[in-house]
Amino acid sequence: MTAPLIDPFARPISYLRVSVTDRCDFRCVYCMAENMTFLPKKELLTLEELDRLSTAFIQLGVQKLRITGGEPLVRKGIMTYFESMARHLQSGQLKELTLTTNGSQLRRFARDLAECGVRRINVSLDTLDDKKFADITRWGKLPQVLDGIAAAQEAGMRVKINAVALKGFNEDELFTLQEWCAAQDMDLTFIEVMPMGDLGNEDRLDQYWALSDLRARLAKQFTLVDLAERTGGPARYVRLEETGQKIGFITPLTHNFCESCNRVRLTCTGELYMCLGQEDMADLRAPLRASAEPSLLEEAIRAAIARKPKGHDFDYSRQRVDGQVSRHMSHTGG
Ligand code: SAM
Ligand code: SF4
C-alpha cells in the first residue's frame, strides 16, 4: 500500500484544489486587474495532464478535489475533465468532487456537473444589487449568475454562497444576503479580503471588514450557535438558531487557521503551492512530462509536501498589509 501524504507538521494532506485556468469572464476588483495578461495556452496543462496529476494525488490519499480558477467553467472542454474524475468517485477513492465558480456558466453546465457526481458547489456572490455587482465584478451580470444558481439547484446540487466582506461595499447587505440565502435554503460563508496580487490603486487594507465585527452584528439579531464542524480549512461555522441556517467565516486575518490545514493547491501550469499565503511552490509539470510512469511524479509530490510550511504570514494588525503575496488569487485558485 502507498504511504499517505503527511507534511512535516503531521498534517495529512487529503484535499487538492486544482486551478484549471487563469482566465475568467469577470474582473473582480479584489482579484484581478482590468487589463490582465493571461498565460499563453501552450503553458497550460492539457486536460489529460490535469487528469494524470489529479489521479496521482488521489492515489496518494487525496479524497476531496475542488476545481477552481480563474473561472473553471470557461476552460474549453472542462466537462471532459469532470467526466473523467467521476471514475474516482465511482471507485470510492475520491469522496468529493466539487467546484468554486462565479456562476455565470452554470445554466449551461449544471446538469452535466450533477451527472458527473458533483453534489455541492460554491458560488461566489458579494452583492444582490445589480449595479454594485457590475461595479465589483467589472464585467459580470447579476441576473445571469442568479439564473445559474437556480439551474444548479434545479439539477439537485446544494449551493453555498461565498461572499467577500468588503467595508463600505456590502456591509449594508449583511442581512439581505443572509435572508436571501435562508429563503433559498443555501448556506452562506463570508471571507475576509486577503492581500493577494499587486492591484495598484485597489487598496486591500481600505476594503478590509473584519469578520469579528460582522459576526457581532449578526449576534445582535440572532442567537449564534458555534458548530464543531471543521473541513480542515479556514472556515468556522455557526448556526443561526432562529433560521437554522449555517453561516461560515473565513478569517485568515483575525484568526489563523493553519494548524489544521489539510490542503495543497495546483495551478493550471502544474505548480504546486503548499500554502496559499507563501511564495514557495514545486513544479510538477516537469516530472509529469518527463515520464509516463507515475514514480517520478510521486517523488516530486512527496518532496513538495515535505516542504509544506507551518502557515501564512498575512497580518493587518499593524495597520498595514503585511505578509502580502504578489500572486493574484486567480493564479492559485482561491
Ligand atoms: N472564479 C471562481 C469564483 O469567483 O468563485 C473561482 C476562483 S476565485 C479566485 C475563488 C474565490 O476567491 C472567490 O470566492 C473570490 O471571491 C475569492 N477571492 C478572490 N480574490 C480574493 C481576495 N483578494 N481576498 C479574498 N478572497 C478573494
Ligand atoms: Fe474571476 Fe473568481 Fe477572480 Fe472574480 S474572483 S475575477 S470571478 S476568478
Side-chain angles (χ1 to χ4, degrees), residues 22-32 68-72 100-103 124 136-137 164 329-330:
D22 62 332
R23 288 166 198 253
C24 187
D25 51 347
F26 291 3
R27 292 289 182 278
C28 302
V29 297
Y30 46 71
C31 179
M32 289 194 185
T68 175
E71 174 46 42
T100 299
T101 172
N102 66 23
S124 305
I136 200 85
T137 62
V164 178
M329 193 68 106
S330 55

PDB file of all heavy atoms in Angstrom, residues 22-32 68-72 100-103 124 136-137 164 329-330, ligand 2:
ATOM      1  N   ASP A  22      -6.350  30.260 -15.677  1.00  0.00           N
ATOM      2  CA  ASP A  22      -6.172  31.563 -15.013  1.00  0.00           C
ATOM      3  C   ASP A  22      -7.142  32.583 -15.614  1.00  0.00           C
ATOM      4  O   ASP A  22      -7.199  33.717 -15.176  1.00  0.00           O
ATOM      5  CB  ASP A  22      -4.724  32.053 -15.123  1.00  0.00           C
ATOM      6  CG  ASP A  22      -4.283  32.280 -16.560  1.00  0.00           C
ATOM      7  OD1 ASP A  22      -4.822  31.609 -17.484  1.00  0.00           O
ATOM      8  OD2 ASP A  22      -3.389  33.113 -16.774  1.00  0.00           O
ATOM      9  N   ARG A  23      -7.892  32.173 -16.628  1.00  0.00           N
ATOM     10  CA  ARG A  23      -8.805  33.111 -17.293  1.00  0.00           C
ATOM     11  C   ARG A  23     -10.141  33.212 -16.586  1.00  0.00           C
ATOM     12  O   ARG A  23     -10.544  32.309 -15.863  1.00  0.00           O
ATOM     13  CB  ARG A  23      -9.055  32.660 -18.735  1.00  0.00           C
ATOM     14  CG  ARG A  23      -7.833  32.878 -19.574  1.00  0.00           C
ATOM     15  CD  ARG A  23      -7.884  32.167 -20.897  1.00  0.00           C
ATOM     16  NE  ARG A  23      -6.526  32.100 -21.410  1.00  0.00           N
ATOM     17  CZ  ARG A  23      -6.057  32.828 -22.428  1.00  0.00           C
ATOM     18  NH1 ARG A  23      -6.868  33.615 -23.100  1.00  0.00           N
ATOM     19  NH2 ARG A  23      -4.802  32.738 -22.787  1.00  0.00           N
ATOM     20  N   CYS A  24     -10.835  34.302 -16.878  1.00  0.00           N
ATOM     21  CA  CYS A  24     -12.146  34.491 -16.248  1.00  0.00           C
ATOM     22  C   CYS A  24     -12.964  35.435 -17.108  1.00  0.00           C
ATOM     23  O   CYS A  24     -12.421  36.287 -17.813  1.00  0.00           O
ATOM     24  CB  CYS A  24     -11.959  35.078 -14.846  1.00  0.00           C
ATOM     25  SG  CYS A  24     -13.510  35.155 -13.932  1.00  0.00           S
ATOM     26  N   ASP A  25     -14.287  35.283 -17.010  1.00  0.00           N
ATOM     27  CA  ASP A  25     -15.181  36.207 -17.723  1.00  0.00           C
ATOM     28  C   ASP A  25     -15.565  37.398 -16.848  1.00  0.00           C
ATOM     29  O   ASP A  25     -16.307  38.264 -17.277  1.00  0.00           O
ATOM     30  CB  ASP A  25     -16.428  35.460 -18.235  1.00  0.00           C
ATOM     31  CG  ASP A  25     -17.121  34.635 -17.156  1.00  0.00           C
ATOM     32  OD1 ASP A  25     -16.515  34.424 -16.077  1.00  0.00           O
ATOM     33  OD2 ASP A  25     -18.264  34.204 -17.384  1.00  0.00           O
ATOM     34  N   PHE A  26     -15.076  37.450 -15.598  1.00  0.00           N
ATOM     35  CA  PHE A  26     -15.256  38.606 -14.726  1.00  0.00           C
ATOM     36  C   PHE A  26     -13.880  39.209 -14.439  1.00  0.00           C
ATOM     37  O   PHE A  26     -12.843  38.589 -14.721  1.00  0.00           O
ATOM     38  CB  PHE A  26     -15.873  38.199 -13.372  1.00  0.00           C
ATOM     39  CG  PHE A  26     -17.317  37.739 -13.432  1.00  0.00           C
ATOM     40  CD1 PHE A  26     -18.005  37.625 -14.630  1.00  0.00           C
ATOM     41  CD2 PHE A  26     -17.988  37.419 -12.254  1.00  0.00           C
ATOM     42  CE1 PHE A  26     -19.334  37.191 -14.671  1.00  0.00           C
ATOM     43  CE2 PHE A  26     -19.306  36.992 -12.273  1.00  0.00           C
ATOM     44  CZ  PHE A  26     -19.986  36.867 -13.476  1.00  0.00           C
ATOM     45  N   ARG A  27     -13.889  40.373 -13.831  1.00  0.00           N
ATOM     46  CA  ARG A  27     -12.644  41.038 -13.414  1.00  0.00           C
ATOM     47  C   ARG A  27     -12.859  41.620 -12.014  1.00  0.00           C
ATOM     48  O   ARG A  27     -12.759  42.830 -11.827  1.00  0.00           O
ATOM     49  CB  ARG A  27     -12.287  42.176 -14.381  1.00  0.00           C
ATOM     50  CG  ARG A  27     -11.872  41.756 -15.772  1.00  0.00           C
ATOM     51  CD  ARG A  27     -10.506  41.097 -15.773  1.00  0.00           C
ATOM     52  NE  ARG A  27     -10.083  40.725 -17.121  1.00  0.00           N
ATOM     53  CZ  ARG A  27     -10.469  39.625 -17.756  1.00  0.00           C
ATOM     54  NH1 ARG A  27     -11.293  38.781 -17.167  1.00  0.00           N
ATOM     55  NH2 ARG A  27     -10.051  39.375 -18.971  1.00  0.00           N
ATOM     56  N   CYS A  28     -13.189  40.766 -11.049  1.00  0.00           N
ATOM     57  CA  CYS A  28     -13.485  41.277  -9.699  1.00  0.00           C
ATOM     58  C   CYS A  28     -12.328  42.141  -9.205  1.00  0.00           C
ATOM     59  O   CYS A  28     -11.157  41.765  -9.353  1.00  0.00           O
ATOM     60  CB  CYS A  28     -13.727  40.118  -8.745  1.00  0.00           C
ATOM     61  SG  CYS A  28     -15.085  39.076  -9.298  1.00  0.00           S
ATOM     62  N   VAL A  29     -12.671  43.275  -8.615  1.00  0.00           N
ATOM     63  CA  VAL A  29     -11.642  44.274  -8.312  1.00  0.00           C
ATOM     64  C   VAL A  29     -10.593  43.777  -7.320  1.00  0.00           C
ATOM     65  O   VAL A  29      -9.431  44.179  -7.384  1.00  0.00           O
ATOM     66  CB  VAL A  29     -12.254  45.600  -7.788  1.00  0.00           C
ATOM     67  CG1 VAL A  29     -13.132  46.245  -8.841  1.00  0.00           C
ATOM     68  CG2 VAL A  29     -13.027  45.389  -6.502  1.00  0.00           C
ATOM     69  N   TYR A  30     -11.002  42.881  -6.388  1.00  0.00           N
ATOM     70  CA  TYR A  30     -10.050  42.397  -5.390  1.00  0.00           C
ATOM     71  C   TYR A  30      -9.250  41.204  -5.900  1.00  0.00           C
ATOM     72  O   TYR A  30      -8.393  40.675  -5.208  1.00  0.00           O
ATOM     73  CB  TYR A  30     -10.772  42.011  -4.087  1.00  0.00           C
ATOM     74  CG  TYR A  30     -12.017  41.182  -4.320  1.00  0.00           C
ATOM     75  CD1 TYR A  30     -11.924  39.880  -4.755  1.00  0.00           C
ATOM     76  CD2 TYR A  30     -13.282  41.741  -4.153  1.00  0.00           C
ATOM     77  CE1 TYR A  30     -13.058  39.133  -5.012  1.00  0.00           C
ATOM     78  CE2 TYR A  30     -14.420  40.996  -4.399  1.00  0.00           C
ATOM     79  CZ  TYR A  30     -14.303  39.699  -4.835  1.00  0.00           C
ATOM     80  OH  TYR A  30     -15.415  38.962  -5.101  1.00  0.00           O
ATOM     81  N   CYS A  31      -9.564  40.754  -7.096  1.00  0.00           N
ATOM     82  CA  CYS A  31      -8.950  39.532  -7.613  1.00  0.00           C
ATOM     83  C   CYS A  31      -8.070  39.784  -8.830  1.00  0.00           C
ATOM     84  O   CYS A  31      -6.995  39.214  -8.949  1.00  0.00           O
ATOM     85  CB  CYS A  31     -10.040  38.525  -7.963  1.00  0.00           C
ATOM     86  SG  CYS A  31      -9.432  36.970  -8.637  1.00  0.00           S
ATOM     87  N   MET A  32      -8.541  40.623  -9.737  1.00  0.00           N
ATOM     88  CA  MET A  32      -7.811  40.814 -10.998  1.00  0.00           C
ATOM     89  C   MET A  32      -7.744  42.282 -11.365  1.00  0.00           C
ATOM     90  O   MET A  32      -8.617  43.055 -10.997  1.00  0.00           O
ATOM     91  CB  MET A  32      -8.567  40.114 -12.142  1.00  0.00           C
ATOM     92  CG  MET A  32      -8.528  38.628 -12.092  1.00  0.00           C
ATOM     93  SD  MET A  32      -9.087  37.984 -13.671  1.00  0.00           S
ATOM     94  CE  MET A  32      -9.089  36.237 -13.281  1.00  0.00           C
ATOM     95  N   THR A  68     -11.201  24.919  -9.420  1.00  0.00           N
ATOM     96  CA  THR A  68     -11.364  26.360  -9.313  1.00  0.00           C
ATOM     97  C   THR A  68     -10.566  27.034 -10.425  1.00  0.00           C
ATOM     98  O   THR A  68     -10.171  26.400 -11.396  1.00  0.00           O
ATOM     99  CB  THR A  68     -10.972  26.803  -7.872  1.00  0.00           C
ATOM    100  OG1 THR A  68     -11.028  28.221  -7.796  1.00  0.00           O
ATOM    101  CG2 THR A  68      -9.609  26.334  -7.434  1.00  0.00           C
ATOM    102  N   GLY A  69     -10.318  28.324 -10.280  1.00  0.00           N
ATOM    103  CA  GLY A  69      -9.568  29.027 -11.324  1.00  0.00           C
ATOM    104  C   GLY A  69      -9.102  30.363 -10.773  1.00  0.00           C
ATOM    105  O   GLY A  69      -8.922  30.495  -9.565  1.00  0.00           O
ATOM    106  N   GLY A  70      -9.074  31.307 -11.600  1.00  0.00           N
ATOM    107  CA  GLY A  70      -9.881  31.738 -12.737  1.00  0.00           C
ATOM    108  C   GLY A  70     -11.283  31.145 -12.634  1.00  0.00           C
ATOM    109  O   GLY A  70     -11.696  30.665 -11.598  1.00  0.00           O
ATOM    110  N   GLU A  71     -11.994  31.252 -13.722  1.00  0.00           N
ATOM    111  CA  GLU A  71     -13.340  30.670 -13.713  1.00  0.00           C
ATOM    112  C   GLU A  71     -13.257  29.287 -14.368  1.00  0.00           C
ATOM    113  O   GLU A  71     -13.039  29.176 -15.575  1.00  0.00           O
ATOM    114  CB  GLU A  71     -14.319  31.601 -14.457  1.00  0.00           C
ATOM    115  CG  GLU A  71     -15.706  31.033 -14.636  1.00  0.00           C
ATOM    116  CD  GLU A  71     -16.284  30.388 -13.366  1.00  0.00           C
ATOM    117  OE1 GLU A  71     -16.137  30.937 -12.271  1.00  0.00           O
ATOM    118  OE2 GLU A  71     -16.876  29.290 -13.493  1.00  0.00           O
ATOM    119  N   PRO A  72     -13.422  28.225 -13.561  1.00  0.00           N
ATOM    120  CA  PRO A  72     -13.211  26.878 -14.111  1.00  0.00           C
ATOM    121  C   PRO A  72     -14.115  26.564 -15.302  1.00  0.00           C
ATOM    122  O   PRO A  72     -13.702  25.855 -16.220  1.00  0.00           O
ATOM    123  CB  PRO A  72     -13.522  25.949 -12.924  1.00  0.00           C
ATOM    124  CG  PRO A  72     -14.237  26.783 -11.921  1.00  0.00           C
ATOM    125  CD  PRO A  72     -13.784  28.185 -12.134  1.00  0.00           C
ATOM    126  N   THR A 100     -15.638  25.674  -7.260  1.00  0.00           N
ATOM    127  CA  THR A 100     -15.945  27.053  -6.876  1.00  0.00           C
ATOM    128  C   THR A 100     -16.070  27.842  -8.157  1.00  0.00           C
ATOM    129  O   THR A 100     -15.170  27.799  -9.003  1.00  0.00           O
ATOM    130  CB  THR A 100     -14.818  27.654  -6.007  1.00  0.00           C
ATOM    131  OG1 THR A 100     -14.704  26.872  -4.819  1.00  0.00           O
ATOM    132  CG2 THR A 100     -15.129  29.076  -5.609  1.00  0.00           C
ATOM    133  N   THR A 101     -17.187  28.523  -8.308  1.00  0.00           N
ATOM    134  CA  THR A 101     -17.472  29.180  -9.582  1.00  0.00           C
ATOM    135  C   THR A 101     -18.106  30.544  -9.357  1.00  0.00           C
ATOM    136  O   THR A 101     -18.723  30.774  -8.307  1.00  0.00           O
ATOM    137  CB  THR A 101     -18.416  28.294 -10.437  1.00  0.00           C
ATOM    138  OG1 THR A 101     -18.847  29.022 -11.590  1.00  0.00           O
ATOM    139  CG2 THR A 101     -19.644  27.836  -9.664  1.00  0.00           C
ATOM    140  N   ASN A 102     -17.988  31.411 -10.360  1.00  0.00           N
ATOM    141  CA  ASN A 102     -18.705  32.694 -10.258  1.00  0.00           C
ATOM    142  C   ASN A 102     -20.148  32.533 -10.718  1.00  0.00           C
ATOM    143  O   ASN A 102     -20.924  33.484 -10.658  1.00  0.00           O
ATOM    144  CB  ASN A 102     -17.976  33.799 -11.029  1.00  0.00           C
ATOM    145  CG  ASN A 102     -17.954  33.563 -12.542  1.00  0.00           C
ATOM    146  OD1 ASN A 102     -18.788  32.844 -13.096  1.00  0.00           O
ATOM    147  ND2 ASN A 102     -16.993  34.178 -13.220  1.00  0.00           N
ATOM    148  N   GLY A 103     -20.521  31.371 -11.190  1.00  0.00           N
ATOM    149  CA  GLY A 103     -21.922  31.074 -11.507  1.00  0.00           C
ATOM    150  C   GLY A 103     -22.365  31.456 -12.906  1.00  0.00           C
ATOM    151  O   GLY A 103     -23.450  31.068 -13.340  1.00  0.00           O
ATOM    152  N   SER A 124     -19.595  32.240  -5.822  1.00  0.00           N
ATOM    153  CA  SER A 124     -19.139  33.496  -5.233  1.00  0.00           C
ATOM    154  C   SER A 124     -20.096  34.615  -5.610  1.00  0.00           C
ATOM    155  O   SER A 124     -20.372  34.818  -6.794  1.00  0.00           O
ATOM    156  CB  SER A 124     -17.733  33.825  -5.739  1.00  0.00           C
ATOM    157  OG  SER A 124     -16.886  32.733  -5.469  1.00  0.00           O
ATOM    158  N   ILE A 136     -18.358  45.640  -8.820  1.00  0.00           N
ATOM    159  CA  ILE A 136     -17.341  44.823  -8.143  1.00  0.00           C
ATOM    160  C   ILE A 136     -16.744  43.780  -9.091  1.00  0.00           C
ATOM    161  O   ILE A 136     -15.562  43.456  -8.998  1.00  0.00           O
ATOM    162  CB  ILE A 136     -17.919  44.161  -6.858  1.00  0.00           C
ATOM    163  CG1 ILE A 136     -16.803  43.724  -5.908  1.00  0.00           C
ATOM    164  CG2 ILE A 136     -18.801  42.971  -7.135  1.00  0.00           C
ATOM    165  CD1 ILE A 136     -16.305  44.755  -4.989  1.00  0.00           C
ATOM    166  N   THR A 137     -17.563  43.257 -10.010  1.00  0.00           N
ATOM    167  CA  THR A 137     -17.051  42.220 -10.934  1.00  0.00           C
ATOM    168  C   THR A 137     -16.556  42.847 -12.242  1.00  0.00           C
ATOM    169  O   THR A 137     -16.016  42.153 -13.083  1.00  0.00           O
ATOM    170  CB  THR A 137     -18.153  41.209 -11.296  1.00  0.00           C
ATOM    171  OG1 THR A 137     -19.205  41.900 -11.979  1.00  0.00           O
ATOM    172  CG2 THR A 137     -18.715  40.498 -10.083  1.00  0.00           C
ATOM    173  N   VAL A 164     -17.271  37.874  -0.254  1.00  0.00           N
ATOM    174  CA  VAL A 164     -16.137  38.587   0.339  1.00  0.00           C
ATOM    175  C   VAL A 164     -16.712  39.781   1.108  1.00  0.00           C
ATOM    176  O   VAL A 164     -17.525  40.533   0.567  1.00  0.00           O
ATOM    177  CB  VAL A 164     -15.142  39.049  -0.751  1.00  0.00           C
ATOM    178  CG1 VAL A 164     -13.991  39.826  -0.135  1.00  0.00           C
ATOM    179  CG2 VAL A 164     -14.613  37.860  -1.534  1.00  0.00           C
ATOM    180  N   MET A 329      -5.177  35.967  -6.809  1.00  0.00           N
ATOM    181  CA  MET A 329      -5.936  34.828  -6.309  1.00  0.00           C
ATOM    182  C   MET A 329      -6.280  33.886  -7.470  1.00  0.00           C
ATOM    183  O   MET A 329      -6.334  32.671  -7.302  1.00  0.00           O
ATOM    184  CB  MET A 329      -7.209  35.337  -5.647  1.00  0.00           C
ATOM    185  CG  MET A 329      -7.918  34.315  -4.843  1.00  0.00           C
ATOM    186  SD  MET A 329      -6.964  33.882  -3.402  1.00  0.00           S
ATOM    187  CE  MET A 329      -7.889  34.708  -2.146  1.00  0.00           C
ATOM    188  N   SER A 330      -6.515  34.441  -8.640  1.00  0.00           N
ATOM    189  CA  SER A 330      -6.897  33.599  -9.777  1.00  0.00           C
ATOM    190  C   SER A 330      -5.756  32.669 -10.194  1.00  0.00           C
ATOM    191  O   SER A 330      -5.970  31.677 -10.866  1.00  0.00           O
ATOM    192  CB  SER A 330      -7.290  34.477 -10.961  1.00  0.00           C
ATOM    193  OG  SER A 330      -6.237  35.366 -11.261  1.00  0.00           O
TER     194      SER A 330
HETATM  195 FE1  SF4 B   2     -12.952  35.724 -11.769  1.00  0.00          FE
HETATM  196 FE2  SF4 B   2     -13.463  34.483  -9.479  1.00  0.00          FE
HETATM  197 FE3  SF4 B   2     -11.444  36.243  -9.653  1.00  0.00          FE
HETATM  198 FE4  SF4 B   2     -13.914  37.137  -9.762  1.00  0.00          FE
HETATM  199  S1  SF4 B   2     -12.977  36.093  -8.027  1.00  0.00           S
HETATM  200  S2  SF4 B   2     -12.246  37.708 -11.169  1.00  0.00           S
HETATM  201  S3  SF4 B   2     -14.952  35.523 -10.800  1.00  0.00           S
HETATM  202  S4  SF4 B   2     -11.563  34.320 -10.712  1.00  0.00           S
END
